[in-house]
């Protein structure tokens, strides 16, 4: 039914002529309305961390992400790489079918392809002009899933890409006005993505030719080190002429590209089936690829020139192999099973010959009675004569007898003497030294000459195809699809080159960040982690129209955003943006109702109160703190007089700490008793109480000014006090944090003014008057009067500071109760967030040494637990141990390895963990354990991988500030059973 709906909708959309725009609008509005409803239903359930509309709004011209609707990262990666190819984007957005052709489309496949093209056009249009940060691809994905007959399994990128190109080709074939195979050459998809190659083979002395078409060209990874070696191996089956590979296949066939497509896509075959284990495995071998690859040497028109170069390469490689063989003889010399470098062996013999001679046998030297501390270390400058040696022996014997009581208990091998000749004359020593030194010099010279010749030959080989005659067909890397994980599961993302701004971008579902070639290499080459390139998309660098943006036909100016869309899709995007704005309004209205259950209405766009307690519970787009007095009066007049008299007479008495008892009206608008008990609100209520006399004599404005100065002075004095173990003053109020970190004065003043606009102050007439006066003054502060981005950044920092404290406290409480795994996740997140704060000042965060200490304790204990489970050999325990490593230990190690200011204790702990797992390699264990160890050991050892992400901790409620420090003091006293640790 879904396919039929969109097929019918497409029939309406694509058959519309310019005179039927009005008829088309309802169809587009219906599609936009359904898209908005779908986004509204699924956004928060898929991205629960983004609960604020501010996280849904697109920033300027930043690219639009694609939401993962359930194992569909493969869809996002491929679609983004195609969308950001301007020539392809134009083809899709301008796709058109006449009414005559649509009437002929009766088959299921035709209707499905048309429906998919409609969804792709709508998706591309939203990615061009939407005000959303990310869009929902559910409709297009559902069509694809129907074709794949699955809804849960992750799809292989190549499988999806082939299916996508097939559907697009068929859809454009309909637009090409015919199904004749000869017309396929006019198909835009064929012209853009498909090329031809010719296969030649020898048969009975004749050369046979066979021409075939290709779309995505497959390349093997095993046996090769770079893209050129892969291509050479794929094109020349009779012999692979690669610089470093020993992979040889004998065959009589050669392949040559006859025609290259403008967009050349290589599939890297990184999966193979392990017959022993009976399952597919991923090939993690490192494979390098360049940003520009020259395809001249693989073209059929250059067959003679390439054959000549390959002949030269073969000769040079034979010479290179001979030189390397000679060099190997010098490096590994000897006729026995163990071989050593010849130069070192000559040096060792020289050292033996020049060692002081001795006539004492090794056996005699081991007897305790004959041991002496002096002979082995006694220096001599000349070889001793026979008489002198006898004298020395007598003296040594005499000395040994005297000192024997002191040396008999010492083990004779504590100071073993070096082996030495029993006797050698000066003439013999001179002759041996001369020969050995000369031979060693000759050997070193031979080795240097061989190395120089090898380097020279290697340079010649590497430059064999680098001259201008074979560098006329450059292809530039446009996109890299990356797969992280194993054969059975994993995650896809894409690196795409931004041709306009000359930069690499990383597209990871809804997350889009600026990247670099270095990061791309780290994630894509493979070899060290379980992330590697799976698909490479190159574009012909000689065709600028592939990457040229749309321009206006009259002015020639580049069209950007929604202006570049056809009129039909432009209206569709406008309609979807309208629905999005309505959704934001509904969310804000719903939030206001939740925040003000008594029914207070707000209409202004000013930010709300951002007190130390409110900021934890208020999203980025907040309710306005002020309300027009006229609106309040109108609402009060609408109530019946009886109801007004009833509520005015209903009051209750509330005890406020540090303030006393206050009378609260039953109809107090938005009153929240829990909020009234927070330190921030206590201070405001007390300040209003102190300003009572000023209020009564001079009016609400003077009362507000008096209360403002009272609270300002109190918070400033609090910020200057020394903190105690039981209380960190920064947790009581945001202004204490701002004062200590020297925030700008206007930010401090606005923050405090917002405290006096809180709806909880509507407990009596005096407080209501001061609240209204504060809201009126807040409205006078215009956006141009202060930098609101800087204002929000200060409050975000304070929110992060409180979050760090809560993470630290929660982690320590878990540690106290033996929940080490949960504790490590909280402490690791606390350290990372806190480290970012401390870069801006020591008062911005918590003392990081305390977090690091218990993070280290948890990491060490958890690693020991994982090791015990893994080495037990029991399947369930092994899986639990691997899960601990993957979810907690390894991500924590990667975060620590990227910390340039890591302490020595942390570095020692990391080294101990890595050494422990390396030692496991030498232990006897089952093959299955060896496989599992081999899967995660590289990630334990490699601390440079950016793709390992620490699991997010469960959401925690930020308790009231006066409770946090006392809880921390209690848990520290429980852990140490000693004095309380002071937290700065």
């Amino acid at each position: 039914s879904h396919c039929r709906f969109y097929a019918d909708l497409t029939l309406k959309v694509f058959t519309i002529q310019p005179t039927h725009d009005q008829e088309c609008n309802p169809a587009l509005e219906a599609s936009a309305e359904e898209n908005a409803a779908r986004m509204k239903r699924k956004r928060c359930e898929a991205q629960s961390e983004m609960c604020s509309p501010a996280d849904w709004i697109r920033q300027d011209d930043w690219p639009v992400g694609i939401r993962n609707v359930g194992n569909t990262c493969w869809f996002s990666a491929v679609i983004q790489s195609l969308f950001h190819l301007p020539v392809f984007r134009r083809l899709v957005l301008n796709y058109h079918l006449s009414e005559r052709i649509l009437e002929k489309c009766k088959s299921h496949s035709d209707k499905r392809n048309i429906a998919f093209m409609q969804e792709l056009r709508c998706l591309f249009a939203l990615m061009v002009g939407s005000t959303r940060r990310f869009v929902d691809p559910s409709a297009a994905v559902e069509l694809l899933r129907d074709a794949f007959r699955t809804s849960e399994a992750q799809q292989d990128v190549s499988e999806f890409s082939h299916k996508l190109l097939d559907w697009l080709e068929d859809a454009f074939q309909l637009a090409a006005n015919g199904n004749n195979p000869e017309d396929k050459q006019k198909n835009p998809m064929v012209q853009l993505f498909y090329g031809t190659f010719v296969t030649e083979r020898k048969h009975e002395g004749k050369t046979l030719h066979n021409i075939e078409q290709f779309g995505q060209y497959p390349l093997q990874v095993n046996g090769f080190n770079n893209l050129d070696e892969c291509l050479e191996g794929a094109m020349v089956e009779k012999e692979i002429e690669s610089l470093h590979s020993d992979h040889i296949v004998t065959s009589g066939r050669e392949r040559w590209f006859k025609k290259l497509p403008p967009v050349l896509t290589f599939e890297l075959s990184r999966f193979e089936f392990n017959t022993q284990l009976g399952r597919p495995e991923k090939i993690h071998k490192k494979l390098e690829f360049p940003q520009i690859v020259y395809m001249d040497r693989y073209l059929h028109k250059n067959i003679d020139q390439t054959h000549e170069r390959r002949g030269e390469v073969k000769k040079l490689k034979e010479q290179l192999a001979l030189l390397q063989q000679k060099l190997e003889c010098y490096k590994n010399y000897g006729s026995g099973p163990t071989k050593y470098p010849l130069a070192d062996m000559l040096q060792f013999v020289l050292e033996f010959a020049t060692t002081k001679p001795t006539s004492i046998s090794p056996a005699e030297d081991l007897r305790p009675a004959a041991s002496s501390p002096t002979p082995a270390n006694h220096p001599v400058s000349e070889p001793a004569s026979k008489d002198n040696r006898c004298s020395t022996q007598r003296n040594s014997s005499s000395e040994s007898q005297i000192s024997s009581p002191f040396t008999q208990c010492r083990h004779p091998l504590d100071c073993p003497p070096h082996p030495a000749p029993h006797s050698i004359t000066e003439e013999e020593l001179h002759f041996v030294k001369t020969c050995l030194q000369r031979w060693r010099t000759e050997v070193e010279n031979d080795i240097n000459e061989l190395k120089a010749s090898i380097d020279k030959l290697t340079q010649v080989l590497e430059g064999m195809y680098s001259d201008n005659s074979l560098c006329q067909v450059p292809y530039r890397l446009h996109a890299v699809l990356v797969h992280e994980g194993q054969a059975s599961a994993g995650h896809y993302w894409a690196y795409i080159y931004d041709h306009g701004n000359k930069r690499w971008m990383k597209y990871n579902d809804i997350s889009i960040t600026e990247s670099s070639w270095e990061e791309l290499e780290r994630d894509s080459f493979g070899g060290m982690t379980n992330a590697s390139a799976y698909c490479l998309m190159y574009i012909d660098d000689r065709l600028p129209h592939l990457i040229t943006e749309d321009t206006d036909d009259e002015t020639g100016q580049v069209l950007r955003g929604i202006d570049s869309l056809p009129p039909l899709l432009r209206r569709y995007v406008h309609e979807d943006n309208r629905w999005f704005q309505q959704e934001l309004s509904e969310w804000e209205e719903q939030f206001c109702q939740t925040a003000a259950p008594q029914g207070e209405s707000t209409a202004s766009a000013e930010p709300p109160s951002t007190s130390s307690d409110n900021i934890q519970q208020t999203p980025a787009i907040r309710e306005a703190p002020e309300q027009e007095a006229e609106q309040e009066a109108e609402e009060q007049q609408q109530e019946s007089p009886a109801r007004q008299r009833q509520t005015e007479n209903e009051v209750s008495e509330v005890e406020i700490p540090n303030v006393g008892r206050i009378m609260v009206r039953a109809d107090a608008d938005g009153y929240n008793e829990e909020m009234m008990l927070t330190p921030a609100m206590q201070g405001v209520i007390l300040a209003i109480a102190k300003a009572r006399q000023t209020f009564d004599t001079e009016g609400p404005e003077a009362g507000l000014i008096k209360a403002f100065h009272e609270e300002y002075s109190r918070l400033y004095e609090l910020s200057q006090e020394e903190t105690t173990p039981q209380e960190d003053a920064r947790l009581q109020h945001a202004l204490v944090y701002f004062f200590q970190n020297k925030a700008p004065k206007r930010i401090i003043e606005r923050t405090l003014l917002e405290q006096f606009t809180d709806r909880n102050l509507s407990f009596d007439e005096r407080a209501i008057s001061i609240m209204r006066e504060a809201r009126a003054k807040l409205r006078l502060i215009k956006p141009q009067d202060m930098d609101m981005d800087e204002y929000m950044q200060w409050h975000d920092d304070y929110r992060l500071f409180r979050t760090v404290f809560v993470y630290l406290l929660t982690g320590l409480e878990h540690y106290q109760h033996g929940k080490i795994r949960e504790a490590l996740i909280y402490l690791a997140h606390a350290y990372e967030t806190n480290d970012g704060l401390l870069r801006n000042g020591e008062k911005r965060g918590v003392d990081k040494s305390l977090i690091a200490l218990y993070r280290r304790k948890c990491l060490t204990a958890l690693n020991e637990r994982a090791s015990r489970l893994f080495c037990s050999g029991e399947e369930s325990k092994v899986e639990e141990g691997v899960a601990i490593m993957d979810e907690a230990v390894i991500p924590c190690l990667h975060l620590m390895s990227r910390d340039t200011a890591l302490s020595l204790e942390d570095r020692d702990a990391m080294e101990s963990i890595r050494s422990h797992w390396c030692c496991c390699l030498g232990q006897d264990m089952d093959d299955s354990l060896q496989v599992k160890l081999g899967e995660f050991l590289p990630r334990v050892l490699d601390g440079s991988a950016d793709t390992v992400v620490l699991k997010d901790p469960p959401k925690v409620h930020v308790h009231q500030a006066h409770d946090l420090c006392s809880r921390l003091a209690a848990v520290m006293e429980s852990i140490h059973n000693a004095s309380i640790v002071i937290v700065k």
Side-chain angles (χ1 to χ4, degrees):
S1 61
H2 190 84
C3 292
R4 287 197 300 273
F5 170 78
Y6 277 101
D8 295 340
L9 177 61
T10 307
L11 291 176
K12 295 180 182 179
V13 174
F14 286 110
T15 57
I16 295 299
Q17 302 300 324
T19 58
H20 298 103
D21 286 347
Q22 296 301 324
E23 180 184 348
C24 173
N25 286 339
L28 288 175
E29 290 174 3
S31 179
E33 181 178 355
E34 179 173 337
N35 179 70
R38 187 168 56 241
M39 289 288 290
K40 183 177 180 180
R41 286 194 305 269
K42 296 183 178 179
R43 178 184 291 107
C44 279
E45 66 187 50
Q47 298 295 332
S48 58
E49 74 278 3
M50 295 196 309
C51 59
S52 165
D55 296 321
W56 309 338
I57 301 174
R58 182 181 183 180
Q59 300 297 320
D60 299 327
D61 294 328
W62 198 252
V64 174
I66 300 178
R67 191 170 69 84
N68 191 328
V69 293
N71 294 332
T72 56
C73 47
W74 45 272
F75 181 91
S76 302
V78 175
I79 289 299
Q80 289 282 19
S81 63
L82 293 173
F83 170 82
H84 288 282
L85 190 60
V87 64
F88 179 82
R89 184 169 67 242
R90 281 193 295 271
L91 286 172
V92 171
L93 292 174
N94 294 302
Y95 181 81
H96 174 76
L97 290 179
S98 67
E99 185 174 356
R100 181 177 60 85
I101 295 175
L102 284 171
E103 291 176 352
K104 297 180 180 180
C105 298
K106 303 297 184 181
S107 68
H108 170 74
S109 60
D110 286 346
K111 291 182 178 180
R112 178 204 61 201
N113 294 340
I114 294 173
F116 181 76
M117 279 300 303
Q118 165 66 4
E119 291 303 336
L120 193 61
R121 292 187 75 217
C122 291
L123 186 63
F124 273 27
L126 291 175
M127 294 169 70
V128 168
S130 178
T131 54
R132 305 176 189 268
R133 180 187 164 199
F134 56 91
V135 294
D136 190 297
S138 296
V141 169
E142 289 304 320
L143 290 172
L144 282 167
R145 276 179 169 164
D146 290 341
F148 282 119
R149 303 182 188 277
T150 180
S151 60
E152 297 298 331
Q154 286 190 330
Q155 300 302 329
D156 181 75
V157 167
S158 63
E159 184 183 4
F160 165 68
S161 301
H162 284 297
K163 181 71 67 176
L164 174 65
L165 289 180
D166 288 344
W167 287 14
L168 291 174
E169 181 185 347
D170 293 342
F172 276 95
Q173 190 62 35
L174 294 174
N177 196 19
N179 294 317
N180 191 328
E182 296 178 359
D183 293 336
K184 284 187 176 292
Q185 298 307 316
K186 299 179 181 179
N187 190 313
M189 291 297 102
V190 174
Q191 294 176 345
L192 189 61
F193 293 105
Y194 288 86
T196 57
F197 65 85
V198 56
T199 302
E200 293 186 351
R201 64 185 180 90
K202 300 291 184 181
H203 180 69
E204 297 179 355
K206 297 181 180 179
T207 302
L208 302 181
H209 301 270
N210 183 34
I211 298 179
E212 300 178 53
Q213 189 180 59
F214 72 92
Q216 302 179 62
Y217 201 84
L219 295 175
Q220 296 297 322
V221 172
N222 262 347
F224 306 106
N225 296 310
N226 55 56
L227 183 60
D228 276 318
E229 291 185 8
C230 291
L231 282 167
E232 193 79 16
M235 307 305 286
V236 187
E237 291 189 4
K238 63 178 182 180
E239 185 174 344
I240 297 173
E241 301 292 352
S242 58
L243 300 183
H244 309 290
S245 175
D246 295 326
H247 185 65
I248 301 296
V249 178
T250 58
S251 173
R253 292 190 301 179
E254 293 182 355
R255 289 191 181 93
W256 302 89
F257 289 117
K258 191 78 173 178
K259 175 181 174 295
L260 289 172
V263 180
L264 181 57
T265 304
F266 296 119
E267 293 179 5
L268 303 182
S269 301
R270 283 197 171 270
F271 293 103
E272 62 182 4
F273 191 80
N274 189 320
T275 55
Q276 294 180 345
L277 298 177
R279 66 184 183 188
E281 288 188 340
K282 185 177 178 182
I283 302 170
H284 295 291
K285 183 183 183 301
K286 182 178 182 180
L287 183 78
E288 298 179 356
F289 49 85
Q291 295 193 60
I292 295 182
V293 60
Y294 294 94
M295 299 299 296
D296 305 72
R297 58 195 277 196
Y298 310 110
L299 295 178
H300 188 260
K301 67 178 183 179
N302 296 326
I303 183 172
D304 294 333
Q305 189 176 5
T306 304
H307 273 157
E308 181 182 351
R309 300 293 175 96
R310 286 176 179 169
E312 295 178 15
V313 166
K314 184 176 181 180
K315 293 178 182 178
L316 290 174
K317 289 184 67 178
E318 291 174 352
Q319 298 178 22
L320 183 62
L322 183 61
L323 292 174
Q324 289 174 335
Q325 186 178 1
K326 291 181 179 180
L327 180 62
E328 189 66 20
C329 292
Y330 283 98
K331 290 183 176 181
N332 295 283
Y333 186 82
S335 57
T338 305
K339 303 178 185 301
Y340 300 95
L342 179 56
D344 292 346
M345 294 175 66
L346 293 172
Q347 178 63 28
F348 297 154
V349 174
L350 180 60
E351 292 174 0
F352 171 77
T354 56
T355 303
K356 172 193 171 183
T358 176
S359 60
I360 300 176
S361 70
E364 286 183 40
D365 204 30
L366 289 175
R367 288 196 297 269
S371 62
S372 172
T374 55
N377 299 320
H378 185 69
V380 294
S381 56
E382 296 293 337
S385 64
K386 184 175 181 180
D387 295 336
N388 289 338
R389 287 199 299 272
C390 294
S391 175
T392 302
Q393 293 173 16
R394 288 192 298 270
N395 292 338
S396 299
S397 178
S398 175
E399 290 175 6
S400 298
Q401 292 173 2
I402 296 173
S403 60
S404 59
F406 303 96
T407 59
Q408 284 179 348
C409 62
R410 188 188 65 176
H411 195 281
L413 296 181
D414 283 351
C415 299
H418 290 290
H422 285 201
S423 65
I424 186 171
T425 64
E426 291 186 16
E427 294 78 12
E428 290 173 338
L429 180 61
H430 176 73
F431 177 77
V432 170
K433 286 177 62 176
T434 303
C435 291
L436 290 174
Q437 289 174 346
R438 184 178 76 250
W439 293 340
R440 185 171 184 269
T441 302
E442 292 172 355
V443 168
E444 290 177 343
N445 290 336
D446 291 345
I447 291 175
N448 291 333
E449 290 179 5
L450 286 171
K451 288 182 177 180
S453 299
I454 290 173
D455 291 342
K456 185 177 179 180
L457 279 180
T458 302
Q459 292 177 5
V460 174
L461 279 170
E462 291 176 347
M464 185 59 66
Y465 299 99
S466 299
D467 59 90
N468 290 334
S469 62
L470 291 178
C471 293
Q472 300 300 311
V473 187
Y475 271 73
R476 182 177 298 277
L477 187 62
H478 166 69
V480 179
L481 303 185
V482 179
H483 176 267
E484 179 190 29
Q486 303 302 325
S488 58
H491 179 62
Y492 292 103
W493 67 86
Y495 288 99
I496 303 173
Y497 190 66
D498 182 353
H499 301 276
N501 296 303
K502 308 297 182 185
R503 61 185 179 182
W504 282 100
M505 303 289 289
K506 183 177 180 180
Y507 292 80
N508 192 348
D509 291 334
I510 67 170
S511 174
I512 302 175
T513 56
E514 186 172 350
S515 184
S516 64
W517 176 252
E518 290 72 25
E519 182 183 2
L520 187 153
E521 284 183 330
R522 191 165 55 247
D523 282 349
S524 306
F525 282 3
M528 291 299 293
T529 67
N530 60 355
S532 54
Y534 190 82
C535 186
L536 308 177
M537 187 179 292
Y538 284 87
I539 59 176
D540 195 333
D541 208 28
R542 302 166 299 172
L543 304 177
H545 74 275
L546 297 177
I547 58 175
T548 303
E549 299 291 343
D550 292 329
T551 56
D552 186 272
D553 294 335
E554 297 180 359
T555 64
Q557 294 182 343
V558 176
L559 297 176
R560 300 189 183 279
I562 202 168
D563 294 333
S564 64
L565 296 176
L568 210 61
L569 292 177
R570 194 180 306 166
R571 287 192 291 274
Y572 167 75
V573 174
H574 276 307
E575 189 64 19
D576 186 79
N577 287 339
R578 184 180 68 81
W579 280 103
F580 180 48
Q581 291 302 320
Q582 181 176 336
E583 181 184 347
L584 295 180
S585 300
E586 291 176 358
W587 185 95
E588 187 172 357
E589 180 180 351
Q590 182 180 3
F591 171 76
C592 293
Q593 292 174 355
T594 304
Q598 298 296 328
E600 180 180 13
S601 62
T602 56
S604 175
E606 287 291 327
S609 171
T610 50
S611 68
S612 62
D613 303 286
N614 288 343
I615 196 166
Q616 291 294 331
Q617 306 170 12
T618 308
I621 292 184
R622 300 176 174 89
E623 179 192 352
E626 68 279 331
Q627 180 181 13
E628 297 289 349
E630 293 77 12
Q631 293 178 350
E632 293 180 357
E634 290 175 4
E635 292 176 1
Q636 292 174 3
Q637 290 174 2
Q638 293 173 1
E639 298 178 356
S640 64
R643 171 64 180 165
Q644 292 182 14
R645 288 191 299 271
Q646 179 183 2
T647 56
E648 287 173 356
N649 294 329
E650 293 179 6
V651 296
S652 59
E653 194 175 57
V654 177
E655 176 72 21
I656 301 294
N658 303 320
V659 176
R661 295 181 177 273
I662 63 173
M663 304 303 295
V664 179
R665 287 190 344 215
D667 64 336
D669 197 5
Y671 173 76
N672 184 324
E673 184 171 341
E674 182 181 358
M675 188 64 66
M676 294 284 280
L677 296 177
T678 63
M681 287 305 299
Q682 290 177 27
V684 172
I685 295 171
L686 183 60
I688 292 176
K690 291 182 177 179
R692 178 175 182 175
Q693 183 176 359
T694 304
F695 174 90
D696 293 338
T697 57
E698 301 180 35
E701 182 178 9
L704 171 64
I705 295 174
K706 173 66 175 175
F708 184 96
H709 283 290
E710 288 287 344
E711 182 65 353
Y712 188 100
S713 301
R714 182 186 74 84
L715 294 173
Y716 179 80
E717 292 175 1
L718 188 61
S719 69
Q720 303 303 308
E721 296 176 1
E722 293 291 332
T723 58
T724 63
Q726 292 81 6
E727 185 177 26
D728 188 338
R730 293 176 296 177
L731 290 170
Q732 294 190 26
H733 203 291
L735 287 193
V736 178
Y737 182 89
F738 292 172
F739 278 128
Q740 291 188 0
N741 289 286
K742 297 180 173 53
K745 186 176 180 180
R746 293 190 66 85
I747 290 177
I748 294 176
E749 290 175 349
R750 182 186 178 109
T751 301
L752 184 55
L753 183 61
E754 287 180 345
Q755 291 288 315
F756 288 87
T757 67
D758 195 289
R759 65 173 61 88
N760 286 285
L761 297 178
S762 57
F763 55 84
D764 63 17
E765 292 297 333
R766 182 174 64 254
I768 290 175
S769 298
I770 290 179
M771 177 185 66
R772 289 175 177 173
E773 188 68 29
R775 290 181 175 182
K777 290 190 177 298
L778 190 63
R779 286 199 301 272
L780 297 176
I781 303 177
K782 302 301 179 184
Q784 60 268 23
D785 294 337
M786 69 180 306
D787 188 349
M788 287 304 297
D789 289 338
E790 183 184 19
Y791 175 84
M792 297 307 301
Q793 185 60 54
W794 274 97
H795 282 277
D796 287 342
D797 285 354
Y798 181 66
R799 175 182 56 80
L800 288 178
F801 161 73
R802 286 172 58 94
T803 302
V804 168
F805 200 98
V806 173
Y807 279 167
L808 168 62
L809 176 58
T810 309
L812 291 177
E813 288 175 339
H814 280 308
Y815 177 83
Q816 176 188 11
H817 295 98
K819 299 179 179 179
I820 306 300
R821 190 171 179 178
E822 295 83 352
L824 178 60
I825 293 177
Y826 278 108
L827 292 172
H829 277 283
Y831 188 94
E832 289 298 310
T833 307
N834 190 60
D835 189 60
L837 289 173
L838 291 179
R839 294 193 189 103
N840 297 323
E842 63 176 4
K843 289 290 187 179
R844 291 290 184 104
V846 181
D847 181 13
K848 70 177 183 179
S849 63
L850 179 63
I851 307 176
L853 171 64
Y854 287 94
R855 180 184 65 173
R856 192 164 57 248
K857 289 177 178 290
C858 291
L859 182 63
T860 304
L862 202 57
N863 183 72
E864 292 175 356
R865 178 185 172 192
S867 176
R868 288 195 303 272
L869 291 170
F870 185 89
C871 295
S872 69
E874 297 181 23
E875 184 176 352
S876 60
K877 292 184 177 180
V878 169
E879 292 298 330
E880 183 181 358
V882 172
I884 291 174
M885 294 299 297
D886 286 339
E887 295 178 9
V889 176
I890 292 177
C892 189
L893 289 175
H894 281 250
L895 290 174
M896 293 170 66
S897 65
R898 292 198 293 267
D899 185 2
T900 56
L902 198 66
S903 66
L904 180 61
E905 293 83 357
D906 280 339
R907 295 184 187 278
D908 291 342
M910 291 174 61
E911 190 62 29
S912 176
I913 291 173
R914 290 169 175 167
S915 300
H916 171 79
W917 287 106
C918 287
C919 291
C920 291
L921 288 174
Q923 299 178 6
D924 293 332
M925 61 178 65
D926 295 337
D927 293 342
S928 60
L929 285 184
Q930 287 284 1
V931 171
K932 292 183 181 295
L933 181 60
E935 288 177 353
F936 72 81
L937 183 58
R939 289 180 287 127
V940 174
L941 301 178
D942 178 28
S944 63
D946 294 333
T947 57
V948 178
V949 179
L950 186 68
K951 180 181 178 181
D952 287 334
K955 299 298 181 183
V956 293
H957 175 66
V958 180
H959 295 275
Q960 302 303 339
H962 58 270
D963 188 40
L964 293 177
C965 285
S966 59
R967 284 172 57 197
L968 180 65
V971 71
M972 292 302 299
E973 187 173 14
S974 173
I975 292 174
H976 291 277
N977 196 19
S979 60
I980 299 171
V981 177
I982 297 177
V983 180
K984 294 184 180 179

